[in-house]
Amino acid sequence: MIDNKADPKPEGRVARRQRRNRTALIAAARDIMAEKGVDAATMLEIAEHADVGAGTVYNYFKSKDELAIAVLESLMHELGRRIEMVTDTFDDPAQVYAFGIRTVLDTATTDPRWEQMLHRAEVIADAMYRTIGPFAIRDLKNAVAAGRFRESDPAMIWRLTTHTIIGASLAVTGGELPSDSKVQIIARLLCMAGSDGEDAEELAARPLPELPPAPSE
């Protein structure tokens, strides 16, 4: 049978150059913002580090804030993949989700590149919903299907969870909540997902396997 579907159009030279420039700028911003912080980093040194023209950066990002969000989104997606490498070894779907949200909370309160953006709570929560959402919503659905959670609207639960994680991270990094309150925070988020109280507390307190290092580390 003849397939009448057109073959995907090959990527042109201009598109390839644009993709390479954008990737290089995000990578350069990750390096510089990790070293100096978001506020101290300049668009000029990021452009120089990426080996592109000083004005080129503004063809891709309107502001340093926008570039910082792109950096954070790349870190979030990378974190989702690293979490998967651990949770793929788990037998309990509820533990998969619990480990994921605990790791996100830990990262948000310890990685300077995340911490520096926490004051942009609404923007960061939205980025987290979109970027880590495909992993988290899938894990929630699996836990519901296995009878471990009762919640029937995983997308809504993940939306609420992202805002809770950011708010809790701000409280922890600001000294309003102790760092050892993370187990209680995760237990309450698991209850919101439909876990029983005692089960949620047991899940939240399980030992955390070591997370694989990021490719750039």
Side-chain angles (χ1 to χ4, degrees):
M1 185 173 67
I2 298 174
D3 187 355
N4 292 321
K5 292 182 180 179
D7 291 334
K9 190 175 180 180
E11 187 178 40
R13 184 189 309 170
V14 173
R16 283 198 303 273
R17 184 176 68 249
Q18 290 174 336
R19 176 171 51 80
R20 284 196 301 266
N21 284 347
R22 190 177 192 280
T23 300
L25 285 166
I26 292 174
R30 281 180 63 157
D31 290 344
I32 292 173
M33 289 177 181
E35 178 186 350
K36 303 180 65 173
V38 175
D39 291 338
T42 68
M43 294 292 257
L44 175 59
E45 62 186 332
I46 290 170
E48 290 176 347
H49 194 67
D51 196 24
V52 302
T56 301
V57 62
Y58 293 100
N59 293 332
Y60 300 90
F61 303 100
K62 295 177 183 177
S63 67
K64 185 173 65 174
D65 231 21
E66 188 175 301
L67 178 52
I69 294 296
V71 167
L72 193 56
E73 287 178 346
S74 75
L75 293 170
M76 287 177 175
H77 181 76
E78 187 177 89
L79 181 64
R81 292 297 186 193
R82 292 165 64 204
I83 290 170
E84 251 186 350
M85 293 173 67
V86 175
T87 56
D88 277 351
T89 67
F90 293 172
D91 295 323
D92 181 1
Q95 186 182 7
V96 172
Y97 180 70
F99 177 82
I101 60 175
R102 174 58 191 270
T103 303
V104 172
L105 178 61
D106 284 344
T107 304
T109 54
T110 58
D111 188 322
R113 295 167 296 188
W114 286 59
E115 286 187 68
Q116 293 168 51
M117 297 298 293
L118 288 176
H119 66 284
R120 297 286 306 279
E122 185 175 344
V123 175
I124 301 307
D126 183 64
M128 187 185 296
Y129 179 83
R130 290 182 289 99
T131 309
I132 302 182
F135 303 98
I137 292 171
R138 176 204 61 198
D139 296 341
L140 273 169
K141 288 179 177 178
N142 289 340
V144 170
R148 295 291 278 123
F149 295 160
R150 294 186 305 274
E151 178 52 49
S152 59
D153 192 346
M156 180 187 71
I157 289 302
W158 179 240
R159 176 74 73 180
L160 296 174
T161 299
T162 60
H163 285 273
T164 303
I165 287 175
I166 298 303
S169 298
L170 280 167
V172 170
T173 57
E176 298 171 36
L177 284 176
S179 183
D180 61 9
S181 66
K182 291 179 183 178
V183 171
Q184 287 71 38
I185 293 168
I186 296 303
R188 282 158 178 75
L189 289 174
L190 292 173
C191 287
M192 185 169 64
S195 178
D196 292 329
E198 289 186 5
D199 193 32
E201 290 179 6
E202 188 275 327
L203 277 170
R206 286 185 186 179
L208 299 172
E210 186 175 350
L211 195 69
S216 57
E217 292 177 355

